[in-house]
Amino acid sequence: ASGKGTVSGALLPSFHLSGEADLAVTGFSLTARPFDAPASQGRQILGFEQAKVHTGLKFLPDRAELGPFEVGTEKSSVKGHATLFFEAQKGMDIRGRLEDVDLADLKHIATVQWAGKGSGDFSVVGPYVDPDVEAAVSLRDFELWDLKLGVVQGKVLYDDLKLSFSGLVAQKGKTQYFGSASLSSFSLDDGPVLELLAQVPHGRCED
């Protein structure tokens, strides 16, 4: 990474620094662990090859705050605010919005291989070793691994190596369908386990 930033404030009697930064980042990773911890201590939440980052900065005795931040890749924009606590059990509180996002721009989110375009709101909250990852998304041309799902709206939850979709409203071709789905054990060598509950009022086999 390269960039520039400015901070100002007081070290004593109460530590408080604030400022802003502009960065050009390659091989970016957001991980569920402290920055100096081994890779085995937390999953990768988000990654992309290249991005430009602008963020406000604030450093307090118990936490660092980044925000409002804006991360821009070639085809995508992510805006939000992040609080990173120095106490590992408190972990992180990251909330934001995916705007005009091309999921192929992101290497993966929480180790999930997916593609599509759309928008949504997300949060990553909890201890570094096991945060709750939630999102409400609206996607088109959505693909989950090799499964092509079309236009999809719904809520997404990632917790304890399980990815869940609830309240799905989707359309593939001229076929509309509703339901929920979950993927688990996708960290294992034998691949993911898919559970799908769908209602297809008037389906077409060609879709």
mmCIF file of all heavy atoms in Angstrom, residues 124-144:
data_model
loop_
_atom_site.group_PDB
_atom_site.id
_atom_site.type_symbol
_atom_site.label_atom_id
_atom_site.label_comp_id
_atom_site.label_asym_id
_atom_site.label_seq_id
_atom_site.Cartn_x
_atom_site.Cartn_y
_atom_site.Cartn_z
ATOM 1 N N VAL A 124 -20.256 -6.286 10.019
ATOM 2 C CA VAL A 124 -19.343 -7.302 10.547
ATOM 3 C C VAL A 124 -19.102 -6.916 11.996
ATOM 4 O O VAL A 124 -18.399 -5.941 12.279
ATOM 5 C CB VAL A 124 -18.011 -7.339 9.767
ATOM 6 C CG1 VAL A 124 -17.114 -8.465 10.289
ATOM 7 C CG2 VAL A 124 -18.263 -7.512 8.272
ATOM 8 N N VAL A 125 -19.687 -7.656 12.935
ATOM 9 C CA VAL A 125 -19.704 -7.253 14.336
ATOM 10 C C VAL A 125 -19.342 -8.427 15.227
ATOM 11 O O VAL A 125 -19.851 -9.537 15.044
ATOM 12 C CB VAL A 125 -21.100 -6.718 14.739
ATOM 13 C CG1 VAL A 125 -21.107 -6.288 16.199
ATOM 14 C CG2 VAL A 125 -21.517 -5.565 13.837
ATOM 15 N N GLY A 126 -18.459 -8.183 16.204
ATOM 16 C CA GLY A 126 -18.155 -9.216 17.184
ATOM 17 C C GLY A 126 -16.677 -9.431 17.371
ATOM 18 O O GLY A 126 -15.845 -8.707 16.806
ATOM 19 N N PRO A 127 -16.303 -10.436 18.176
ATOM 20 C CA PRO A 127 -14.887 -10.728 18.428
ATOM 21 C C PRO A 127 -14.134 -11.027 17.131
ATOM 22 O O PRO A 127 -14.708 -11.531 16.168
ATOM 23 C CB PRO A 127 -14.949 -11.974 19.325
ATOM 24 C CG PRO A 127 -16.318 -11.963 19.916
ATOM 25 C CD PRO A 127 -17.206 -11.349 18.881
ATOM 26 N N TYR A 128 -12.853 -10.735 17.131
ATOM 27 C CA TYR A 128 -12.069 -10.935 15.916
ATOM 28 C C TYR A 128 -12.091 -12.385 15.454
ATOM 29 O O TYR A 128 -12.079 -12.662 14.249
ATOM 30 C CB TYR A 128 -10.624 -10.489 16.148
ATOM 31 C CG TYR A 128 -10.470 -8.993 16.302
ATOM 32 C CD1 TYR A 128 -10.115 -8.427 17.526
ATOM 33 C CD2 TYR A 128 -10.684 -8.149 15.226
ATOM 34 C CE1 TYR A 128 -9.979 -7.053 17.667
ATOM 35 C CE2 TYR A 128 -10.554 -6.765 15.357
ATOM 36 C CZ TYR A 128 -10.191 -6.226 16.582
ATOM 37 O OH TYR A 128 -10.073 -4.873 16.715
ATOM 38 N N VAL A 129 -12.118 -13.324 16.378
ATOM 39 C CA VAL A 129 -12.044 -14.732 15.986
ATOM 40 C C VAL A 129 -13.362 -15.273 15.477
ATOM 41 O O VAL A 129 -13.389 -16.303 14.800
ATOM 42 C CB VAL A 129 -11.551 -15.602 17.171
ATOM 43 C CG1 VAL A 129 -10.135 -15.235 17.541
ATOM 44 C CG2 VAL A 129 -12.478 -15.464 18.379
ATOM 45 N N ASP A 130 -14.489 -14.604 15.763
ATOM 46 C CA ASP A 130 -15.779 -15.148 15.345
ATOM 47 C C ASP A 130 -16.818 -14.035 15.215
ATOM 48 O O ASP A 130 -17.794 -13.987 15.966
ATOM 49 C CB ASP A 130 -16.257 -16.209 16.346
ATOM 50 C CG ASP A 130 -17.488 -16.945 15.848
ATOM 51 O OD1 ASP A 130 -17.697 -16.993 14.612
ATOM 52 O OD2 ASP A 130 -18.245 -17.483 16.681
ATOM 53 N N PRO A 131 -16.656 -13.141 14.264
ATOM 54 C CA PRO A 131 -17.635 -12.068 14.104
ATOM 55 C C PRO A 131 -18.889 -12.555 13.391
ATOM 56 O O PRO A 131 -18.864 -13.561 12.682
ATOM 57 C CB PRO A 131 -16.878 -11.056 13.244
ATOM 58 C CG PRO A 131 -15.993 -11.902 12.393
ATOM 59 C CD PRO A 131 -15.570 -13.060 13.272
ATOM 60 N N ASP A 132 -19.973 -11.843 13.588
ATOM 61 C CA ASP A 132 -21.199 -12.086 12.831
ATOM 62 C C ASP A 132 -21.168 -11.216 11.580
ATOM 63 O O ASP A 132 -20.970 -10.008 11.667
ATOM 64 C CB ASP A 132 -22.431 -11.739 13.669
ATOM 65 C CG ASP A 132 -22.614 -12.678 14.849
ATOM 66 O OD1 ASP A 132 -22.252 -13.860 14.719
ATOM 67 O OD2 ASP A 132 -23.103 -12.221 15.897
ATOM 68 N N VAL A 133 -21.386 -11.846 10.441
ATOM 69 C CA VAL A 133 -21.395 -11.139 9.163
ATOM 70 C C VAL A 133 -22.809 -11.184 8.615
ATOM 71 O O VAL A 133 -23.362 -12.253 8.380
ATOM 72 C CB VAL A 133 -20.415 -11.782 8.166
ATOM 73 C CG1 VAL A 133 -20.396 -10.996 6.849
ATOM 74 C CG2 VAL A 133 -19.012 -11.866 8.754
ATOM 75 N N GLU A 134 -23.430 -10.014 8.439
ATOM 76 C CA GLU A 134 -24.798 -9.950 7.951
ATOM 77 C C GLU A 134 -24.889 -8.951 6.801
ATOM 78 O O GLU A 134 -24.128 -7.982 6.750
ATOM 79 C CB GLU A 134 -25.755 -9.526 9.072
ATOM 80 C CG GLU A 134 -25.806 -10.478 10.255
ATOM 81 C CD GLU A 134 -26.839 -10.043 11.287
ATOM 82 O OE1 GLU A 134 -27.768 -9.288 10.922
ATOM 83 O OE2 GLU A 134 -26.711 -10.460 12.445
ATOM 84 N N ALA A 135 -25.839 -9.191 5.908
ATOM 85 C CA ALA A 135 -26.044 -8.271 4.789
ATOM 86 C C ALA A 135 -27.466 -8.401 4.284
ATOM 87 O O ALA A 135 -28.083 -9.463 4.388
ATOM 88 C CB ALA A 135 -25.058 -8.560 3.663
ATOM 89 N N ALA A 136 -27.987 -7.315 3.747
ATOM 90 C CA ALA A 136 -29.241 -7.325 3.002
ATOM 91 C C ALA A 136 -28.885 -6.878 1.595
ATOM 92 O O ALA A 136 -28.364 -5.769 1.403
ATOM 93 C CB ALA A 136 -30.258 -6.374 3.633
ATOM 94 N N VAL A 137 -29.106 -7.746 0.612
ATOM 95 C CA VAL A 137 -28.569 -7.504 -0.721
ATOM 96 C C VAL A 137 -29.651 -7.590 -1.790
ATOM 97 O O VAL A 137 -30.681 -8.240 -1.622
ATOM 98 C CB VAL A 137 -27.450 -8.522 -1.053
ATOM 99 C CG1 VAL A 137 -26.284 -8.370 -0.090
ATOM 100 C CG2 VAL A 137 -27.983 -9.949 -1.019
ATOM 101 N N SER A 138 -29.369 -6.919 -2.899
ATOM 102 C CA SER A 138 -30.175 -7.010 -4.109
ATOM 103 C C SER A 138 -29.194 -7.200 -5.254
ATOM 104 O O SER A 138 -28.380 -6.306 -5.531
ATOM 105 C CB SER A 138 -31.000 -5.736 -4.302
ATOM 106 O OG SER A 138 -31.728 -5.792 -5.516
ATOM 107 N N LEU A 139 -29.237 -8.376 -5.896
ATOM 108 C CA LEU A 139 -28.223 -8.756 -6.876
ATOM 109 C C LEU A 139 -28.864 -9.210 -8.179
ATOM 110 O O LEU A 139 -29.956 -9.778 -8.176
ATOM 111 C CB LEU A 139 -27.348 -9.884 -6.324
ATOM 112 C CG LEU A 139 -26.583 -9.581 -5.033
ATOM 113 C CD1 LEU A 139 -26.016 -10.871 -4.457
ATOM 114 C CD2 LEU A 139 -25.473 -8.575 -5.285
ATOM 115 N N ARG A 140 -28.165 -9.012 -9.249
ATOM 116 C CA ARG A 140 -28.571 -9.528 -10.549
ATOM 117 C C ARG A 140 -27.428 -10.381 -11.112
ATOM 118 O O ARG A 140 -26.266 -10.161 -10.771
ATOM 119 C CB ARG A 140 -28.939 -8.390 -11.508
ATOM 120 C CG ARG A 140 -27.827 -7.417 -11.784
ATOM 121 C CD ARG A 140 -28.319 -6.207 -12.581
ATOM 122 N NE ARG A 140 -27.238 -5.303 -12.946
ATOM 123 C CZ ARG A 140 -26.742 -4.372 -12.154
ATOM 124 N NH1 ARG A 140 -27.226 -4.216 -10.928
ATOM 125 N NH2 ARG A 140 -25.765 -3.593 -12.567
ATOM 126 N N ASP A 141 -27.778 -11.333 -11.965
ATOM 127 C CA ASP A 141 -26.789 -12.272 -12.511
ATOM 128 C C ASP A 141 -25.995 -12.931 -11.387
ATOM 129 O O ASP A 141 -24.775 -13.114 -11.475
ATOM 130 C CB ASP A 141 -25.830 -11.569 -13.483
ATOM 131 C CG ASP A 141 -26.561 -10.954 -14.661
ATOM 132 O OD1 ASP A 141 -27.542 -11.575 -15.134
ATOM 133 O OD2 ASP A 141 -26.165 -9.866 -15.107
ATOM 134 N N PHE A 142 -26.706 -13.303 -10.325
ATOM 135 C CA PHE A 142 -26.046 -13.835 -9.132
ATOM 136 C C PHE A 142 -25.626 -15.284 -9.343
ATOM 137 O O PHE A 142 -26.414 -16.113 -9.806
ATOM 138 C CB PHE A 142 -26.990 -13.731 -7.931
ATOM 139 C CG PHE A 142 -26.394 -14.214 -6.640
ATOM 140 C CD1 PHE A 142 -25.169 -13.760 -6.212
ATOM 141 C CD2 PHE A 142 -27.085 -15.123 -5.853
ATOM 142 C CE1 PHE A 142 -24.626 -14.195 -5.010
ATOM 143 C CE2 PHE A 142 -26.553 -15.570 -4.659
ATOM 144 C CZ PHE A 142 -25.321 -15.103 -4.233
ATOM 145 N N GLU A 143 -24.380 -15.584 -8.983
ATOM 146 C CA GLU A 143 -23.837 -16.937 -9.043
ATOM 147 C C GLU A 143 -23.217 -17.280 -7.700
ATOM 148 O O GLU A 143 -22.540 -16.448 -7.086
ATOM 149 C CB GLU A 143 -22.775 -17.067 -10.138
ATOM 150 C CG GLU A 143 -23.287 -16.791 -11.538
ATOM 151 C CD GLU A 143 -22.200 -16.948 -12.586
ATOM 152 O OE1 GLU A 143 -21.177 -17.601 -12.287
ATOM 153 O OE2 GLU A 143 -22.361 -16.412 -13.693
ATOM 154 N N LEU A 144 -23.463 -18.478 -7.237
ATOM 155 C CA LEU A 144 -22.885 -18.986 -5.999
ATOM 156 C C LEU A 144 -22.123 -20.242 -6.365
ATOM 157 O O LEU A 144 -22.731 -21.256 -6.689
ATOM 158 C CB LEU A 144 -23.985 -19.279 -4.980
ATOM 159 C CG LEU A 144 -23.549 -19.599 -3.555
ATOM 160 C CD1 LEU A 144 -22.838 -18.400 -2.944
ATOM 161 C CD2 LEU A 144 -24.751 -19.986 -2.712
#
